[in-house]
Amino acid sequence: MAKALTQSEFNQQVAGLFSEYGADAFAASVGNYPLYTLFVEGDTVIAEPASSAKHRYGAFCTLALPLDDARLAEHMNKWLNRGEAYALYLSMNVCRYDG
């Protein structure tokens, strides 16, 4: 059975993806999808592009209101560091790791 990533492992990998693609690439307004979603394959968090069939099943931050670039970057770092991204990852994969 697969084992869930720890929050530290998850956050470290996601922070790397934020650096590579920009944190804003993983955020979208309500009812929309971002350029990339967070998807876990094995023990690796990947950026799933919009062109992928799995994209819509990945984790991302839903924004209630539009934010300027500076506020969006701050919001995304808080989303990650407060554990909201990790909680979403776990909730989306509960069947995968429950056992």
Side-chain angles (χ1 to χ4, degrees), residues 8 14 16-17 26 28 32 38-39 42-43 48 50-51 54 58 69-72 86-87 89:
S8 175
V14 172
L17 293 172
F26 299 92
N32 293 302
L38 300 169
F39 206 85
D43 59 357
E48 199 66 48
S51 60
K54 296 189 293 187
D69 290 346
R71 290 184 60 209
L72 179 55
Y86 184 71
Y89 150 69

Side-chain angles (χ1 to χ4, degrees), residues 16-93:
L17 293 172
F18 281 7
S19 292
E20 185 175 348
Y21 296 98
D24 60 327
F26 299 92
S29 59
V30 174
N32 293 302
Y33 288 97
L35 295 174
Y36 295 92
T37 59
L38 300 169
F39 206 85
V40 176
E41 288 188 352
D43 59 357
T44 304
V45 183
I46 62 169
E48 199 66 48
S51 60
S52 166
K54 296 189 293 187
H55 177 264
R56 70 180 313 129
Y57 303 107
F60 65 95
C61 181
T62 302
L63 303 171
L65 300 169
L67 300 173
D68 62 42
D69 290 346
R71 290 184 60 209
L72 179 55
E74 179 183 343
H75 180 81
M76 293 301 290
N77 285 321
K78 286 181 180 178
W79 180 71
L80 180 61
N81 294 321
R82 283 192 302 237
E84 293 174 52
Y86 184 71
L88 181 58
Y89 150 69
L90 288 179
S91 72
M92 295 174 79
N93 290 281

Side-chain angles (χ1 to χ4, degrees), residues 1-7 9-10 13 40-45 86 89-90 93-99:
M1 170 150 311
K3 186 177 130 227
L5 294 171
T6 66
Q7 185 169 346
E9 292 168 332
F10 179 84
Q13 291 186 47
V40 176
E41 288 188 352
D43 59 357
T44 304
V45 183
Y86 184 71
Y89 150 69
L90 288 179
N93 290 281
V94 67
C95 295
R96 187 173 176 188
Y97 302 121
D98 195 26

